[in-house]
Amino acid sequence: MTVQVTVDPGAITRLLRLRNGPAERRLRERTRRVADIAEREAPGTMGSFIDWDVEDGPRGLQGVVWCDHPKVHYVLNHTRPHLIRPRHKRYLRFEVGGRVVYTKLVRHPGTKANDFMGRALQLGR
């Protein structure tokens, strides 16, 4: 008994690109996993600003994870040492060791880069 199998590459391609097909379900699962890891790795409340989606890209479906926190750029990259001055008031007010402190100038030491999105991508593979 002989069996002949004919493979239609176009049919396989259509199957893989189907909405809610096996490829999209797997891509959604992996993208969700990366977004969950990014939420855990993000500093402070930044994790609540992370969202994800699977969308059509130039080469087919692609998973996208983004963070739309207003200060995410400063966290992912670094900041140099800089001076902080009040904008609208005469003094800056903040707490140090449970005491309220007022000052006209703060010398911020800068921050190191925290690439939590890159780490999430590595860990989510």
Side-chain angles (χ1 to χ4, degrees):
M1 175 162 90
T2 62
V3 176
Q4 183 176 357
V5 177
T6 305
V7 177
D8 181 7
I12 292 173
T13 303
R14 284 190 301 276
L15 174 69
L16 291 176
R17 292 185 184 198
L18 276 177
R19 279 303 207 183
N20 293 323
E24 184 181 1
R25 284 194 305 265
R26 179 77 171 130
L27 183 60
R28 279 189 180 282
E29 175 187 310
R30 292 183 76 161
T31 306
R32 181 182 300 121
R33 181 173 51 214
V34 170
D36 290 344
I37 294 169
E39 284 181 33
R40 286 194 308 269
E41 294 282 322
T45 61
M46 203 168 283
S48 61
F49 288 85
I50 293 175
D51 206 359
W52 65 275
D53 195 17
V54 173
E55 55 191 40
D56 290 320
R59 300 174 69 198
L61 293 175
Q62 62 185 13
V64 181
V65 179
W66 67 87
C67 178
D68 52 2
H69 189 278
K71 303 219 175 13
V72 71
H73 172 74
Y74 301 115
V75 172
L76 293 175
N77 302 314
H78 71 282
T79 61
R80 292 190 209 170
H82 57 281
L83 300 176
I84 301 174
R85 292 187 173 95
R87 287 180 137 183
H88 303 292
K89 307 240 178 190
R90 292 178 142 197
Y91 298 99
L92 295 169
R93 178 188 182 277
F94 55 95
E95 288 188 29
V96 175
R99 290 185 20 221
V100 177
V101 177
Y102 296 92
T103 184
K104 290 186 175 187
L105 177 71
V106 173
R107 295 178 192 278
H108 193 282
T111 58
K112 290 182 181 179
N114 179 356
D115 189 16
F116 66 92
M117 296 288 273
R119 278 196 314 275
L121 185 59
Q122 291 292 326
L123 293 171
R125 287 188 170 181

